[in-house]
Amino acid sequence: MSANVYPVSEETAKGALIDKAKYDAMYKQSVEDPEGFWGEHGKRIDWIKPFTKVKNVSYDPHNLYIKWYEDGTLNVSANCLDRHLATRGDQTAIIFEGDDPSVSEHITYKDLHERVSRFANALKTMGVNKGDRVVIYLPMIPAAAVSMLACARIGAIHSIVFGGFSPEALAGRIEDCGAKVVITADEGLRGGRGVALKRNADEALSHPGVKSVEKLVVVKHTGKDIPWNDARDVWYQDICDAASPDCPPTEVNAEDPLFVLYTSGSTGKPKGVLHTSGGYLVYASMTHQYVFDYHDGDVYWCTADVGWVTGHSYIVYGPLANGATTLMFEGVPSYPDASRFWKVCEKHKVNIFYTAPTAIRALMREGAEWVEKADLSSLRILGSVGEPINPEAWEWYHEHVGKRKCPIVDTWWQTETGGILITPLPGATDLKPGSATLPFFGVEPALLDHEGNELEGATEGSLVIKYSWPGQMRTVYGDHERFIQTYFSTFAGVYTTGDGARRDEDGYYWITGRVDDVINVSGHRMGTAEVESALVAHPKVAEAAVVGVPHDIKGQGIYAYVTLNADEEPSDELRGELVKWVRKEIGPIASPDYIQWSPGLPKTRSGKIMRRILRKIAANEYDQLGDTSTLADPGVVDDLIDNRQNR
Ligand code: WT7
C-alpha cells in the first residue's frame, strides 16, 4: 500500500463548496438525523407536489421495501431542462465531441429542451405511455441523452443497452423488460470504425423470444446503407421534425421507475436494476455537485458510456439537474492517437475530468509525452471510477494530468447504489492513493466477518451499508425475490455490496475487490456464470469454468477452463472459434483472454467446482493452493498446473 498522503491544499479548500469542518458537521447531521438531513436536501430538486414523508424503508426479507419522498411528485426531465430555461437557456448543456476530432457541437439548454420535447411527443404518437419500457441501443451521441430525457418526460422507463453488447445480449434484455420501442442508430463510430448497431438490432428483434417491440427508431448517424423494414422502422429525424416542440412534462410519483439497467451478478442472467425518480435524482445531483465540487460555469467531462450507470448518473441526470455543462465523447482514448483525451480537455477547456483506472493505465503505458502535447491548465478536479485504482496509476494521473494541483476523487459505488457512496470531497478529504477514503453524507458503511459480526477499528471484511440512501435501487425488474436474495440475505438487516474492503486507522476505506463470482474487466462487470453459460452453449464444449486473472491494463482479465466433448480435439483454431463465439453471445468485453483445455476440473465430492484453486492456477500462484484433499480427484490439479496458459 502506498503510504503517501496528499493533504487538501489551501487553495482547493478555499474555493470548495465543502471544507473539512463542513464535511464533519454535515456528515454528523446526516447520520444522526437522516430524516431531517434528507428532508432538507430533497428540496434541491423541483417537486410538482412537495413530499411530506422522507423515508420509509424496511430491510426485513419477508417484507422488504425502499421508499423515499413517497408522496412527492415531479418530472425528472423538467428538473434537467425546464427549470433552467429562465436562468441558463442559452448556456451549453451538452458539448458533443465526435469520434472524428473535427466534429463537435454545443447544445444549449433551450435547444436540448426542444429536442427532448419533440422526441417525447413522437414517442407518445407511437403509443408509448407512462410505465412502458423503451430500450436504447445507441452510440455516445446527443440523441442518447435526448432519448433518456424524452422517456423521463413522459414517464416511460428506459433501459439502455451498451452499444458493445451483442444481438443475443440485446435480445435478452428487450425480452426481459418487454420493451415496446427500441431506439438505435444506423451505425456507431469508434476509433474510425463503424459499429453495426442497426444490423445488431435487426438480429435481436428477429429473436423468437422478442415479441413486444412495435417500433424501431433509427438515428441517422454515419449515413451507412442499412436494411429497412417499412412496417416497423422509423427515422428519428423524421418523427422529431414532424412532432410538436411543446410537450408538457408528465407528473410522476417519486417512486415511479425512471430506468432499468442490466448488470451482471454472480449467478444467472443479468439483473434489471430498477431506479426510481425522486430519490435517485436528489442523490445523483447532490453527489455530482459535492463530489466534483461543481461550480456554475464549470465544464465537466465524464468519459463513461451512457450504457453504464456512470453515464446515467454522471453524464446525464446529475449534471443536467445541476444546470451543468456536460461533455459527451463518442470516441476512444487512443484515436487518432494517445493524446486524444488531453486534446479534448484542451479544446473544450475542461475543468473536471472523470475517467476509469483502465484508461489511465493504458495511457500511462503510452508515455507521459502524450499528455504534455496538450494544455491542461483548465483542469481543477480529477476523478476515478469502476475499479480500485492502483497507487502507481494514481500517482501518474496526479503528476502528469493533474500537475500535482488537482485532487483526485476515487469514487466507489455500483449500478445498484445509483450514485457515489464512498469518496473524497475535494475541499475536505486528505487523499491516499488507492483509497476511496470516506463515506458520502448519509452513508454508513460497515465491515462484517463471515458470521455477520460487525468489525470495529482498522480491519478487513465484507463491505455492507447499514441504512438506505435515496439513490438506492428499489428492486430487480420483475423479480423482487431475487433482489432480496442477492442483497439482503447474506447478512441480515444491511445492504450487502459484494465487495470486500479494508479500513485503516484513519477510518479510510480501501476496496479490495469482489468477494463473489463477479469479475471486473476494464471497470465492466462480468458474471463468470454468464461467460460459462456462453461457452457451454457451444456444441463442442462439455463444461467450462471461468475465473478472473490479474491483468496489467484491464485490472482483471477472463481466464476460461474448458472441457471439450469426448470426441473433440483441442486446437488453436478451436480456441479462436470459442473466443469469437463468446463475443457473439455476449459482446467483445466478455472475450476470454486465456482458454485452457482442461480434461477435468477440480470438484468437491458433491460436484462443486473449486474456483479458489482455478483462480490460483490462473494467477500463477499454484504453490499456494491450500487444501486440495477434499477434491473428488486431486490428480486433475497437476494437469491444470502443467498446462496453465498465463506463464
Ligand atoms: C463494482 C460495481 C460504479 C460505477 C461503475 C461500475 C467496483 C467501482 C470502484 C472504486 C474500487 C470500484 C466494485 C463495485 N468499483 N468503483 N472506486 N474502487 N472498486 O459499476 O458495473 O455496477 O460495478 O465496481 O467492485 O462493486 P458496476
Side-chain angles (χ1 to χ4, degrees):
M1 283 310 152
S2 164
N4 290 349
V5 179
Y6 292 85
V8 177
S9 75
E10 228 168 89
E11 205 190 321
T12 303
K14 220 168 48 209
L17 298 170
I18 309 276
D19 62 14
K20 275 195 172 98
K22 202 155 177 206
Y23 171 78
D24 290 342
M26 279 175 77
Y27 185 76
K28 188 163 180 284
Q29 189 213 347
S30 75
V31 297
E32 284 175 359
D33 176 21
E35 295 263 345
F37 182 86
W38 289 115
E40 178 187 332
H41 291 282
K43 295 186 190 135
R44 60 178 292 119
I45 63 169
D46 282 358
W47 297 87
I48 297 172
K49 179 169 154 281
F51 57 87
T52 65
K53 294 186 200 151
V54 175
K55 176 183 178 184
N56 183 13
V57 175
S58 157
Y59 279 179
D60 171 2
H62 302 292
N63 180 28
L64 189 139
Y65 53 86
I66 300 164
K67 295 175 190 174
W68 285 88
Y69 311 114
E70 62 179 299
D71 61 350
T73 67
L74 75 161
N75 180 277
V76 170
S77 98
N79 270 283
C80 293
L81 301 168
D82 308 45
R83 72 159 165 165
H84 304 313
L85 292 182
T87 49
R88 53 178 95 237
D90 294 321
Q91 183 202 306
T92 300
I94 295 178
I95 301 175
F96 170 64
E97 168 76 15
D99 183 62
D100 173 345
S102 70
V103 173
S104 59
E105 186 187 357
H106 284 66
I107 302 169
T108 63
Y109 272 94
K110 217 168 23 195
D111 186 8
L112 187 61
H113 175 262
E114 177 175 337
R115 293 190 201 192
V116 168
S117 301
R118 284 181 182 273
F119 190 41
N121 277 329
L123 288 172
K124 277 205 262 188
T125 307
M126 278 185 275
V128 178
N129 293 313
K130 181 166 177 246
D132 286 344
R133 278 79 56 213
V134 173
V135 161
I136 301 174
Y137 185 61
L138 281 174
M140 278 290 291
I141 54 176
V146 171
S147 300
M148 295 164 78
L149 292 163
C151 288
R153 194 158 192 89
I154 60 175
I157 306 168
H158 61 70
S159 184
I160 307 190
V161 178
F162 173 57
F165 277 123
S166 68
E168 275 312 296
L170 174 61
R173 287 155 171 80
I174 296 172
E175 193 182 336
D176 188 81
C177 73
K180 211 177 205 177
V181 168
V182 175
I183 306 165
T184 191
D186 47 4
E187 275 192 315
L189 260 188
R190 280 173 77 80
R193 294 215 306 249
V195 183
L197 294 177
K198 168 68 160 81
R199 200 182 68 203
N200 289 352
D202 283 341
E203 204 179 316
L205 295 189
S206 70
H207 210 273
V210 174
K211 300 195 186 76
S212 56
V213 178
E214 293 167 14
K215 290 283 174 211
L216 177 62
V217 178
V218 186
V219 179
K220 183 172 270 186
H221 181 45
T222 65
K224 168 112 177 160
D225 252 345
I226 45 168
W228 200 257
N229 175 342
D230 278 324
R232 183 197 67 193
D233 302 348
V234 290
W235 286 109
Y236 169 85
Q237 280 84 356
D238 290 351
I239 57 174
C240 288
D241 288 347
S244 153
D246 177 31
C247 178
T250 298
E251 178 172 2
V252 307
N253 183 269
E255 285 301 334
D256 281 337
L258 177 62
F259 66 85
V260 172
L261 183 60
Y262 287 84
T263 191
S264 298
S266 50
T267 55
K269 288 191 299 180
K271 302 182 272 285
V273 168
L274 185 129
H275 283 288
T276 57
S277 302
Y280 170 80
L281 196 65
V282 168
Y283 199 77
S285 67
M286 184 164 169
T287 47
H288 172 261
Q289 183 184 9
Y290 291 139
V291 172
F292 300 104
D293 193 42
Y294 188 87
H295 285 66
D296 244 359
D298 281 342
V299 175
Y300 161 90
W301 180 19
C302 164
T303 69
D305 190 286
V306 289
W308 311 111
V309 72
T310 311
H312 287 64
S313 302
Y314 299 116
I315 295 176
V316 178
Y317 290 118
L320 295 180
N322 290 337
T325 298
T326 181
L327 193 148
M328 273 183 95
F329 176 48
E330 181 186 18
V332 294
S334 54
Y335 178 82
D337 61 42
S339 69
R340 185 68 192 275
F341 269 4
W342 323 124
K343 290 275 167 148
V344 174
C345 287
E346 174 183 81
K347 176 175 172 186
H348 298 294
K349 303 205 167 39
V350 171
N351 305 112
I352 303 165
F353 177 74
Y354 187 30
T355 195
T358 186
I360 300 295
R361 287 191 298 265
L363 292 170
M364 182 173 151
R365 193 172 64 171
E366 300 297 322
E369 58 274 21
W370 294 102
V371 191
E372 316 307 336
K373 286 180 198 295
D375 173 5
L376 295 181
S377 55
S378 59
L379 288 177
R380 198 179 83 239
I381 310 275
L382 302 176
S384 172
V385 62
E387 56 174 314
I389 180 164
N390 47 311
E392 302 68 40
W394 195 104
E395 296 281 2
W396 186 88
Y397 193 23
H398 189 247
E399 177 175 347
H400 295 286
V401 181
K403 316 294 182 201
R404 302 203 160 276
K405 66 177 180 45
C406 304
I408 300 176
V409 288
D410 175 358
T411 62
W412 175 86
W413 58 298
Q414 310 178 299
T415 306
E416 293 87 338
T417 68
I420 295 163
L421 296 194
I422 302 182
T423 180
L425 300 185
T429 319
D430 297 339
L431 304 172
K432 299 186 190 184
S435 171
T437 75
L438 300 172
F440 190 74
F441 306 126
V443 175
E444 287 186 71
L447 299 177
L448 307 187
D449 67 13
H450 290 299
E451 278 79 54
N453 304 306
E454 183 169 348
L455 303 165
E456 300 297 333
T459 186
E460 186 168 340
S462 282
L463 176 66
V464 303
I465 311 296
K466 285 176 45 175
Y467 309 105
S468 184
W469 62 99
Q472 185 172 26
M473 75 181 281
R474 302 301 197 254
T475 192
V476 170
Y477 187 80
D479 197 348
H480 197 57
E481 199 43 45
R482 189 168 175 202
F483 178 52
I484 298 169
Q485 278 307 316
T486 310
Y487 305 103
F488 302 95
S489 69
T490 315
F491 304 113
V494 296
Y495 167 77
T496 298
T497 68
D499 279 350
R502 185 169 75 80
R503 188 172 48 219
D504 70 16
E505 31 325 302
D506 296 321
Y508 275 38
Y509 288 88
W510 302 72
I511 309 299
T512 51
R514 303 286 306 190
V515 295
D516 53 13
D517 291 321
V518 169
I519 51 187
N520 190 325
V521 183
S522 303
H524 303 318
R525 235 157 104 170
M526 210 62 260
T528 52
E530 261 175 276
V531 186
E532 286 164 7
S533 70
L535 284 165
V536 296
H538 190 280
K540 295 180 181 166
V541 173
E543 195 168 28
V546 169
V547 296
V549 58
H551 187 287
D552 283 349
I553 302 290
K554 300 186 198 175
Q556 277 189 304
I558 298 179
Y559 194 112
Y561 297 87
V562 172
T563 310
L564 293 173
N565 290 331
D567 51 345
E568 298 298 341
E569 278 301 314
S571 67
D572 283 345
E573 203 189 330
L574 181 53
R575 227 186 230 121
E577 190 179 317
L578 291 183
V579 171
K580 248 173 83 184
W581 175 267
V582 175
R583 292 170 71 95
K584 185 183 94 45
E585 291 281 310
I586 305 174
I589 57 169
S591 307
D593 296 277
Y594 302 97
I595 292 181
Q596 174 170 353
W597 307 120
S598 322
L601 292 170
K603 291 183 187 167
T604 61
R605 289 192 192 88
S606 61
K608 191 173 175 318
I609 295 173
M610 303 268 289
R611 288 163 190 286
R612 178 178 54 82
I613 293 176
L614 295 176
R615 275 195 287 266
K616 292 279 182 200
I617 296 173
N620 258 320
E621 294 169 355
Y622 50 88
D623 48 339
Q624 321 155 23
L625 286 186
D627 185 13
T628 56
S629 63
T630 55
L631 290 178
D633 174 9
V636 299
V637 171
D638 293 332
D639 175 81
L640 291 176
I641 292 173
D642 288 346
N643 294 300
R644 69 192 189 280
Q645 299 289 302
N646 176 25
R647 285 168 199 261

